[in-house]
Amino acid sequence: MSRLFKVIGLVPIGNVDKDFLEDLRPPLEKVFGQRVRIAGRTALPRDSWNRDRGQHLASLLLAELSPLPHLADRVLGVVDVDIFAPGLNFVFGQADITGRRALISLKRLRQGFYGLHRDEDLFQQRALKEAVHELGHTYGLGHCPDPSCVMHFSNSLPDTDLKGWNFCSFCQEKVNQKL
Ligand SMILES: [Zn+2]
Ligand SMILES: [Zn+2]
């Protein structure tokens, strides 16, 4: 399939701001050179909710993205709830390394989550970086030692804020081979 016909599907799971998703589209299209389509909203599943933790289990949300929306080569689920993975207090996102599905959570990307002043630009930047990062994993990329590369591992938001939303030349080369 030519890359011109490949599509990345953005799937809001639960309540996700539509304008926010629209803003995410152009930069994602630029990074991956593919069209990005916003799919209809999917309901948050009940079984992913962990009442004791007050969080959703990321792997079960990722499972909600199967089957892939029509024509989508990759799919990125977006949630605005807090998510976790076994052994971790929380995760910003998760990806199916051998598959084509990725997930990001917006919950901890807002300054307001930490009791700080609202900063929409910063929020949008962080979301874009997380989106490119998790999608990058679906193209077979691991974590990159270059701290400015979007595939650099973010242990915390300061790490996220330091890196860019583009791949370094090494990672870009690897992604290009799969596009
Ligand atoms: Zn990662
Ligand atoms: Zn890199």
Side-chain angles (χ1 to χ4, degrees), residues 144 146 149-151 167-168 170-171:
C144 179
D146 180 346
C149 174
V150 72
M151 291 313 293
F167 297 112
C168 70
F170 176 78
C171 292

Side-chain angles (χ1 to χ4, degrees), residues 133-134 137 143 151-153:
H133 181 99
E134 296 304 337
H137 280 314
H143 288 145
M151 291 313 293
H152 192 68
F153 177 66

Side-chain angles (χ1 to χ4, degrees), residues 5-17:
F5 298 102
K6 285 187 175 177
V7 171
I8 295 174
L10 283 188
V11 182
I13 309 175
N15 281 327
V16 179
D17 185 66

Side-chain angles (χ1 to χ4, degrees), residues 86-159:
L88 296 171
N89 290 339
F90 71 91
V91 288
F92 290 123
Q94 191 162 318
D96 197 355
I97 305 262
T98 54
R100 301 190 290 169
R101 301 169 300 175
L103 175 78
I104 60 166
S105 162
L106 307 178
K107 196 70 185 176
R108 291 176 184 260
L109 303 181
R110 290 188 190 86
Q111 291 292 72
F113 185 84
Y114 308 94
L116 300 169
H117 274 296
R118 188 186 162 110
D119 187 334
E120 278 308 303
D121 282 351
L122 187 59
F123 167 63
Q124 193 80 31
Q125 287 284 318
R126 287 171 173 171
L128 175 59
K129 291 171 188 177
E130 295 303 330
V132 175
H133 181 99
E134 296 304 337
L135 282 168
H137 280 314
T138 70
Y139 290 96
L141 291 178
H143 288 145
C144 179
D146 180 346
S148 65
C149 174
V150 72
M151 291 313 293
H152 192 68
F153 177 66
S154 301
N155 214 357
S156 63
L157 283 178
D159 297 334

